[in-house]
Amino acid sequence: MSATARKSAPLPDDIRAMKGGTPIVSLTAYTTPMAQMMDAHCDFVLVGDSVGMVLHGLPSTLGVTMDMMVMHGKAVARGLTSAMMVIDMPFGSYEEGPEQAFRNAARLMAETAAGAVKLEGGVAMADTIAFLVARGIPVMAHIGLTPQSINTLGGYKVQGRGDAGATLMADAKAVAEAGAFAVVLEKVPENLANDITGTVDIPTIGIGASAGCDGQILVVDDMLGLFTAFKAKFVKRYAELGVDGEAAIAAYAEDVRARRFPGPEHVFGDAVPGAKT
Ligand code: KIV
């Protein structure tokens, strides 16, 4: 899949234009089949660095590499025709400065069919966001609980409570002014998420934020019940595929041990089909 193969997907400006309208629908995806399943239902699909935890068993997102993002980005792109694809910049690929960020964002855009990159950080990342946008790379910002900063945030806590709300508001304004076309608000109090949504002129995409945000995103493995290591309060489970999958595997194992599988319908006779006998 080349970076120009998908023609019908919305552009970042189309997502920006959805501010204040019908809520923007988004999920993460890491593989082609999962992307195919959500393509018709989502406005954009995020190849999140959560891939490290949900697919690779890493303890956090910090071990995710550029090569992993490129590989999963290519896989997701093969499954999308109508949803826009956004791809996460992994930890260590952009924080050094705008030039490093441009180099790695350009690689992600060139080697996958992503329409935009996402990076974590507010005021501290504003110059980098402006640098990328000025050079043709649409940026989605991500503030609040930023999992790549877990070691300085001291855990996966709610961000922006009390006086810290002003800092988060400043972060939201800074990324909007820098040219981000949307901003993810992760794990922030509902009132603050509503205030930010009413203040900035770009869509807010909530995860553990508020139904008043301009859109919502969830990690797909969380909402399908495939990731069961823990469940955050903000996750709504729409299926229990982990439980159902394990039950199916147990049934298969029993069938094999009892010689019930394969059955007559799964095996081949030795007559050549269509041959005259
Ligand atoms: O990596 C990810 O999945 C994310 C979402 C939780 C927003 O950044």
Side-chain angles (χ1 to χ4, degrees), residues 7-89:
K7 297 234 182 325
S8 61
L11 298 169
D13 277 352
D14 299 321
I15 300 292
R16 183 200 294 261
M18 292 176 78
K19 170 92 188 163
T22 305
I24 298 163
V25 179
S26 174
L27 286 170
T28 65
Y30 320 105
T31 63
T32 307
M34 208 61 113
Q36 284 168 332
M37 227 191 281
M38 63 184 70
D39 187 38
H41 305 286
C42 288
D43 298 299
F44 76 87
V45 168
L46 172 70
V47 187
D49 61 353
S50 48
V51 67
M53 295 174 78
V54 299
L55 282 200
H56 293 270
L58 295 174
S60 74
T61 57
L62 299 184
V64 175
T65 64
M66 280 290 294
D67 286 347
M68 287 164 77
M69 294 310 298
V70 167
M71 183 182 72
H72 288 287
K74 285 180 172 169
V76 169
R78 287 182 204 113
L80 297 181
T81 56
S82 54
M84 185 178 83
M85 180 172 131
V86 180
I87 190 162
D88 258 342
M89 300 200 68

Side-chain angles (χ1 to χ4, degrees), residues 159-195:
Q159 301 294 310
R161 280 191 169 137
D163 291 347
T167 308
L168 219 47
M169 177 61 87
D171 282 335
K173 287 180 180 168
V175 299
E177 276 161 25
F181 71 92
V183 57
V184 171
L185 305 180
E186 180 164 353
K187 217 166 174 182
V188 303
E190 188 180 20
N191 286 348
L192 178 62
N194 291 340
D195 284 352

